[in-house]
Amino acid sequence: MLYPQDQRYVLTSPTAMPQAGGFLWNRRMMIQTTCRGYATAQFMQPEPGKYSHAPNLEAKSFMQPEQNYYAHHPGRFVYVKDEDTGELFSAPYEPVRGGLDRFEFSVGRVDLHWTIEKLGIRIDLTLALPVDDVAELWTVNVTNLSDRPRRISIYPYFTVGYMSWMNQSAEYRHDLGAIVAFGITPYQKLDDYFKNRLLKDRTVLLCEHAPDAWETAQGAFEGEGGLHAPSALSSESLLCGDARYETPAAVVQYRLALAPGNAIKRRFLFGPAFDDAEIASLRQRYLSEEGFAAAARDYAAYIAEGDGVLQIATPDRELDNFVNTWLARQVYYHGDVNRLSTDPQTRNYLQDNMGMVFVKPAVARAAFLHALSQQEANGAMPDGILLFEGAELKYINQIPHTDHCVWLPVCLQAYLDETGDAAILDVPVTTHDGAVKSAFDRICLAMDWLLQRRDARGLSYIEQGDWCDPMNMVGYKGRGVSVWLTVAAAYALKLWTDVCAARGDAAMQARYQDGAAAMNAAANTHLWDGDWFARGITDDDVKFGVAADTEGRIYLNPQSWSFLSGAADDAQRARMLPEIDAQLTTPYGVQMFAPPYSAMREDIGRVTQKHPGSAENGAVYNHAAVFYIFSLYTIGEADRAFDALRKMIPGPDLADYLQRGQLPVFIPNYYRGAFKEYPRTAGRSSQLFNTGTVAWVYRCLIEGLCGLKGDANGLTIAPQLPSDWSGMTVTRRFRGATFEVAITRGTGDRVTVTCDGIALAAARIDNIEAGRTYHVRVGLAATPPTRSSAG
Amino acid sequence: MLYPQDQRYVLTSPTAMPQAGGFLWNRRMMIQTTCRGYATAQFMQPEPGKYSHAPNLEAKSFMQPEQNYYAHHPGRFVYVKDEDTGELFSAPYEPVRGGLDRFEFSVGRVDLHWTIEKLGIRIDLTLALPVDDVAELWTVNVTNLSDRPRRISIYPYFTVGYMSWMNQSAEYRHDLGAIVAFGITPYQKLDDYFKNRLLKDRTVLLCEHAPDAWETAQGAFEGEGGLHAPSALSSESLLCGDARYETPAAVVQYRLALAPGNAIKRRFLFGPAFDDAEIASLRQRYLSEEGFAAAARDYAAYIAEGDGVLQIATPDRELDNFVNTWLARQVYYHGDVNRLSTDPQTRNYLQDNMGMVFVKPAVARAAFLHALSQQEANGAMPDGILLFEGAELKYINQIPHTDHCVWLPVCLQAYLDETGDAAILDVPVTTHDGAVKSAFDRICLAMDWLLQRRDARGLSYIEQGDWCDPMNMVGYKGRGVSVWLTVAAAYALKLWTDVCAARGDAAMQARYQDGAAAMNAAANTHLWDGDWFARGITDDDVKFGVAADTEGRIYLNPQSWSFLSGAADDAQRARMLPEIDAQLTTPYGVQMFAPPYSAMREDIGRVTQKHPGSAENGAVYNHAAVFYIFSLYTIGEADRAFDALRKMIPGPDLADYLQRGQLPVFIPNYYRGAFKEYPRTAGRSSQLFNTGTVAWVYRCLIEGLCGLKGDANGLTIAPQLPSDWSGMTVTRRFRGATFEVAITRGTGDRVTVTCDGIALAAARIDNIEAGRTYHVRVGLAATPPTRSSAG
């Protein structure tokens, strides 16, 4: 039903995992396509726009988890009709559905491919993207598999949907060789008028070969037959109609005569355009064999730029496949296009660029400085980072959150470790008020802001939220506090203490060291619940996330970050870990909290409103889970860490794929949780590939599993293999050099390292020479380290 | 295919006019339903909300014209399965579609009814509403028409749709006898939280009889079969599943054994609810034969309150049927619920309440005073009237328009004529700044504002628009002017002059008389184009709506209102009317302008962006057409007026119904125009029943066709029958009395009137006694009046 094939994943049933799909992106667009042919595409102009719309007036919103697909959901399909028998099927599966003789959906790093067979006809579909244009490049290959001549019609059908309540139309343009649908973005206010007139309001299907017929009106195409059996297909020829304030569709017909074994290829370009000139130019650039081939070459090179710094060979082949083929690609996507938003949330922007540290560190560097340039005078970071002049903070970024400063040292640490570029700290950064301060001073200011925003007990105020949107009612009156934020700030201060120390700034070092200690102490004094840390205290002084709660009894984040900050000592950790195992760990990962809330809890708010088993309410929220994993590696809990990490990737058994409904080509932002309460849906993937998780997964693999983290002077070596692995090999690119590392489980009682055959005194390599390949052998201790030994 | 039946219209084909339907409303909700079963419902809480959603995240928007229906559009359906043969059909038509043995869709004033026959089974569906609850009351009657016992399953299927990206679920509740779907309105900001927690987030299907089985998840219901052949129906019993963050659906199954000729009835209530207690209370109130019957009685009484003041019997039976059964109902709808908005545009609010003058004058009176209470200190009227504390002006009402003051005297005139209640003028009206002024003084202030907002030539500035949203770029720089607004303001001043005169306020009378004359003169001096009035002059001094233009050459509104204001003299009118006939008049009414724009004209803006043939771009925009009609009656053009008026109602021939796609149960806001450019779609109805048109149609009928207008002292009598009518009879209610008026084409050269057998010296009845019935005979002149005689 599913098998890996070189660098692809192939799904052989359209019904087993109907929501499974893949995604492609380039510098200006993104498309997510399901195995059955539905598609969600967005492009930047500069705000996210669409060229293939829903059948109604759709709300603009951030990308949703668990998209609901329905008959008229945007998609790309090819109807095939046997002209002799009138029999009909569609590729890839929708809209006709029904039994196919063969179905293969193959997700690659640079294209999506389908092979469909029915009625002795094979349809091969390939979707590829160019690098810089907003355009889907489709190849449709039709093969006569039978031993007799065949007369068939193929009808590529690209949904255009409801373009505008103000103006929509479509027609086939002989001069352009394209169906051109036209809509006007409805506008009202004067300011919007001048913005909207620059939008690409056309949706175009360019055909390399002129079609024999076409239809451009959705209603005329479907008739009474409906999408699964369009009336227009019952005639010999489509009617070549236009659409006049009727929902447009792009359908073309090719009447083909195929000798036995013969094949015919048709190429199409689907996307938005501003005007006829742009359509003509797209045609010129792409609509030929060489045009498609050149685009494929360029795109492969573009994707290869995101290959990252890590290749592994372990006893776990699925893990290898995911890490080597897919993970860096997802990291690259985040850092390259910022989730196709123009005002990414500050924490997302910083973490996505933390991933970019391993892919394109120069991009990450610029991003960190760009974020700092939007710091407020009092040290606070805004809720979103505006990526261009004229961008605006959207609704969700107008809600004040208190955690953004935390992410500065946390994410910068990865950059400093990977690049050793301490010079970034001295870069002068100018804010909108004209004030100039070094990056170092700005982050000190941010740390001071965290120190200040605490109550008399020394706990951090949560206000309307402390991370994404889990809780909005805990502290809106100005009194409620967050344990997570308290220990997260302590962790940030601890990291910053080290940076101050490295600069020899003893005063600042002491200041933040004391601050971190005070926050850890405050968390322990007020919020240690006996076996774990509570989650917070509401405005009305109600502690929650405590043993006395029947719902939301234990939250993961306060525990993970207390490991990171050092708030939890050995004895505490020994109590906490079994509770996390028992209460939060599921076959699909570690839940963000448990049990899920079954109803509204007015005093904490939003988290209790999330659907049980999804997103924040009791889900395996991978972003929270990965911090747990990261924290486990910092305390040497290699087995627990790997167990949780491994669960982020579907597999290895079929039942697990089916339950999650996802190909292992990206890590989704969540798997449904509520494992005890709603076992039917537990584990189901959100199918949403936008998530800060992946940068951290990459970091966990590099720094934790492989133990190949940089520091100011070079590369440190401290692999943490699961105890049942005998070894693994790693290719690690670092500061221009390549490290071929073979790790084996040794027989001694300590780690031994040789580099190019020479035993090293310390498990680290300094004075790295760019361009050189280092051959490293690591012998682990005979028994894996125990929890406390690395704690 | 379509026939009137008592007070109903019946459509016997679901495919001939697939978008045709009817609408019902009550004090809190509205539902528009197509003959095929799709439905659009809204309710107030207090902003418009939905309980049956689209399959995706739908944008909030004002009601759209020409709704696009698609497979998963919200709807109400009943699947029927023959348990012995497995055969399936659905009532009323969607989602299975396909041939039915009988189909009747019958639109009544108080209910919608379908009769469907197939496989020897008859399904009768009735939809009714209560008066004060948001609830659809559905009756499903199943009859075995065959001569053998039958085992069938019926599956009422009510779409719930995508309730929320935050939280959605559904289950059958045995304790409530209902499927309860639950969603959380996504919220983020603190203020919204406190608002949204009061929303009715549940969608409920209450069943009088406990179903045998059910399904509550859309996906589980459809399976691979799709909506037209849901997989769940292939089993003997639905699986009684729940929905957990899956799109909910409300499907119940009844397994029925029916002897030949036997029938079984099932009642359902579908709608939103706040909590279990409300669901239980709805059940208690409605879910019984007596509950439904009581609701029907109350609702009939409620609708009867909107019967209005006019019944006619003319040679035109379709006209009679429309006027006597439907027109006042549509007028009442507008005045009763203000189009289900909380911030109606000021011009709409005033005109809708102008219609209410004839239905519930006390409501109209309060509305006029309420509108005045939101006047600005400088006399301007706001763009929208807020109907309750906390309401906000929506996007479209944040765009400054310059016409709102015009509508005060124009609409108030109808109130004064109908009621004689001049005391309204002396009512003190307090605005938000605490200023108290009489209604008279406030309208004077508004008239002064109109006089002031003119350029040096005496022409009215258009700014970003002068009516609805036809043009936004003509005058945004502050220089462009509107001819329509200039003559409309002149008309308003003219009317106000008369009010001042009646109050004996000679100073004000002179002031506004002079003002009106000056504006008419300015229009003539600067914007008379030779055979008609231009539409305006842009910021950059370009005249448009002139003979030199190839698109947008002649606009209707400036001509109509120049008739009303007196700007056009007899000689001008004699040139204008043939141009209107030739350039604007079509079989479907009079276009707002012609020819339609084929592309953007940057200097006038929005009107050129509307789809050719619809809304503002070359459409038969009925609101504009009715002013033309009204103006024609004021100048005695009875035949032209009636011709244009008659075209607002589909009929009389089948081709006309089909082209318009609408039952004659309401007047839509437009019929597509561009009759010459796009004949295929010309005439097509917008299907949108929200329109200021209807109040004016009612006024045209009363004051124009029937000529039974009030004035300060009584009822004036001046019918204007089309010249080919020999007579008509009218029942006119007026100031508590009833006038039974028989109008005949006489033989003399002047109008003669008798009242209760006594010849009257003047064609008017004064000193009207409430409660009395007057029998009036009107003898018209032998030849209809010529244009100039009444001019």
Side-chain angles (χ1 to χ4, degrees), chain A residues 192-193 244 395 398 672, chain B residues 189 192 244 395 600 672:
Chain A
D192 292 344
Y193 173 84
R244 300 293 165 200
Y395 190 93
Q398 295 170 12
R672 291 225 211 163
Chain B
K189 293 186 185 175
D192 291 344
R244 299 295 165 199
Y395 189 92
M600 183 64 180
R672 290 225 210 163

Side-chain angles (χ1 to χ4, degrees), chain A residues 477-514:
Chain A
K477 296 174 191 165
R479 291 188 298 274
V481 294
S482 161
V483 186
W484 170 72
L485 184 55
T486 305
V487 293
Y491 176 55
L493 292 170
K494 185 174 118 177
L495 294 175
W496 201 240
T497 298
D498 294 342
V499 171
C500 295
R503 289 169 69 87
D505 191 333
M508 291 312 242
Q509 179 187 357
R511 176 192 189 99
Y512 299 122
Q513 199 158 28
D514 293 351

Side-chain angles (χ1 to χ4, degrees), chain A residues 45 48 105 197 202 338 348 376 412 453 466 482 507 538 590:
Chain A
Q45 59 170 347
F105 170 57
R197 62 201 285 241
R202 283 162 176 76
N338 290 297
N348 291 350
E376 292 160 27
L412 192 65
R453 299 293 279 251
D466 65 356
S482 161
T538 71
V590 188

Side-chain angles (χ1 to χ4, degrees), chain B residues 39 51 65 148 191 298 319 378 388 462 465 508 578 672 764 782:
Chain B
Y51 50 88
R148 63 186 200 283
D191 291 350
D298 292 348
L319 177 74
N378 67 356
F388 69 94
I462 186 169
M508 292 311 243
R672 290 225 210 163
R764 57 177 298 124

Side-chain angles (χ1 to χ4, degrees), chain B residues 157-302:
Chain B
Y157 161 53
F158 290 68
T159 58
V160 178
Y162 190 76
M163 300 184 83
S164 165
W165 60 261
M166 189 174 247
N167 183 324
Q168 55 182 6
S169 62
E171 60 190 0
Y172 181 77
R173 290 277 299 273
H174 292 274
D175 56 334
L176 297 168
I179 286 177
V180 180
F182 179 67
I184 295 284
T185 302
Y187 59 83
Q188 309 290 345
K189 293 186 185 175
L190 201 60
D191 291 350
D192 291 344
Y193 174 83
F194 291 107
K195 274 187 240 168
N196 291 342
R197 63 201 284 242
L198 301 175
L199 298 181
K200 296 186 179 195
D201 274 335
R202 283 161 176 76
T203 296
V204 59
L205 176 65
L206 270 159
C207 309
E208 184 187 14
H209 298 88
D212 295 309
W214 56 84
E215 183 54 70
T216 66
Q218 183 76 28
F221 176 61
E222 285 184 50
E224 291 297 322
L227 266 186
H228 57 286
S231 299
L233 301 190
S234 60
S235 302
E236 192 173 86
S237 171
L238 296 178
L239 290 180
C240 303
D242 56 9
R244 299 295 165 199
Y245 199 57
E246 294 155 306
T247 300
V251 198
V252 288
Q253 177 179 12
Y254 293 90
R255 307 189 66 189
L256 307 176
L258 283 169
N262 269 20
I264 287 180
K265 187 173 283 184
R266 291 287 178 265
R267 293 184 189 85
F268 303 93
L269 183 155
F270 185 60
F274 182 72
D275 58 11
D276 287 0
E278 184 176 16
I279 297 170
S281 141
L282 287 168
R283 174 171 203 95
Q284 171 67 24
R285 199 170 320 146
Y286 295 110
L287 261 277
S288 65
E289 183 168 357
E290 173 47 27
F292 268 43
R297 284 193 301 272
D298 292 348
Y299 188 75
Y302 165 73

Side-chain angles (χ1 to χ4, degrees), chain B residues 76-365:
Chain B
R76 323 282 184 259
F77 314 101
V78 179
Y79 290 94
V80 181
K81 186 176 78 173
D82 184 316
E83 297 218 340
D84 293 314
T85 66
E87 290 171 291
L88 190 72
F89 70 97
S90 64
Y93 181 69
E94 303 283 357
V96 177
R97 303 186 176 179
L100 300 171
D101 298 332
R102 181 180 169 201
F103 174 90
E104 277 189 13
F105 170 56
S106 158
V107 182
R109 283 161 51 90
V110 298
D111 62 17
L112 301 175
H113 185 83
W114 289 262
T115 299
I116 306 304
E117 292 179 9
K118 178 140 181 159
L119 311 179
I121 301 291
R122 184 167 77 215
I123 302 291
D124 289 286
L125 300 177
T126 306
L127 168 61
L129 301 184
V131 176
D132 284 307
D133 278 312
V134 182
E136 303 173 17
L137 305 179
W138 285 90
T139 308
V140 179
N141 205 43
V142 189
T143 309
N144 177 1
L145 300 177
S146 61
D147 54 6
R148 63 186 200 283
R150 302 291 292 274
R151 298 189 314 128
I152 63 164
S153 272
I154 64 165
Y155 309 81
Y157 161 53
F158 290 68
T159 58
V160 178
Y162 190 76
M163 300 184 83
S164 165
W165 60 261
M166 189 174 247
N167 183 324
Q168 55 182 6
S169 62
E171 60 190 0
Y172 181 77
R173 290 277 299 273
H174 292 274
D175 56 334
L176 297 168
I179 286 177
V180 180
F182 179 67
I184 295 284
T185 302
Y187 59 83
Q188 309 290 345
K189 293 186 185 175
L190 201 60
D191 291 350
D192 291 344
Y193 174 83
F194 291 107
K195 274 187 240 168
N196 291 342
R197 63 201 284 242
L198 301 175
L199 298 181
K200 296 186 179 195
D201 274 335
R202 283 161 176 76
T203 296
V204 59
L205 176 65
L206 270 159
C207 309
E208 184 187 14
H209 298 88
D212 295 309
W214 56 84
E215 183 54 70
T216 66
Q218 183 76 28
F221 176 61
E222 285 184 50
E224 291 297 322
L227 266 186
H228 57 286
S231 299
L233 301 190
S234 60
S235 302
E236 192 173 86
S237 171
L238 296 178
L239 290 180
C240 303
D242 56 9
R244 299 295 165 199
Y245 199 57
E246 294 155 306
T247 300
V251 198
V252 288
Q253 177 179 12
Y254 293 90
R255 307 189 66 189
L256 307 176
L258 283 169
N262 269 20
I264 287 180
K265 187 173 283 184
R266 291 287 178 265
R267 293 184 189 85
F268 303 93
L269 183 155
F270 185 60
F274 182 72
D275 58 11
D276 287 0
E278 184 176 16
I279 297 170
S281 141
L282 287 168
R283 174 171 203 95
Q284 171 67 24
R285 199 170 320 146
Y286 295 110
L287 261 277
S288 65
E289 183 168 357
E290 173 47 27
F292 268 43
R297 284 193 301 272
D298 292 348
Y299 188 75
Y302 165 73
I303 290 298
E305 289 176 34
D307 276 348
V309 297
L310 191 72
Q311 295 280 303
I312 60 174
T314 76
D316 185 336
R317 289 194 52 195
E318 293 213 29
L319 177 74
D320 297 354
N321 193 41
F322 180 75
V323 172
N324 297 339
T325 306
W326 301 106
L327 178 59
R329 178 180 180 271
Q330 192 179 359
V331 170
Y332 178 39
Y333 157 77
H334 281 82
D336 194 43
V337 296
N338 290 297
R339 311 183 188 197
L340 283 98
S341 79
T342 62
D343 66 329
Q345 289 178 20
T346 302
R347 75 180 72 77
N348 291 350
Y349 184 64
L350 293 171
Q351 292 178 83
D352 290 350
N353 274 288
M354 186 190 84
M356 207 61 164
V357 158
F358 304 107
V359 175
K360 291 192 167 183
V363 171
R365 184 185 210 267

Side-chain angles (χ1 to χ4, degrees), chain A residues 693-712:
Chain A
T693 306
V694 289
W696 286 97
V697 170
Y698 210 55
R699 200 168 160 189
C700 285
L701 287 164
I702 292 170
E703 301 185 3
L705 181 72
C706 302
L708 296 170
K709 187 176 83 69
D711 67 10

Side-chain angles (χ1 to χ4, degrees), chain B residues 143 149 162 186 201 213 223 236-237 329 397 401-402 406 429 458 508 524 547 595 604 634 652 664 668 703 756:
Chain B
T143 309
Y162 190 76
D201 274 335
E236 192 173 86
S237 171
R329 178 180 180 271
N397 282 345
H401 283 65
T402 46
V406 164
V429 179
M508 292 311 243
N524 268 304
I604 67 169
T634 67
E703 301 184 5
D756 294 328

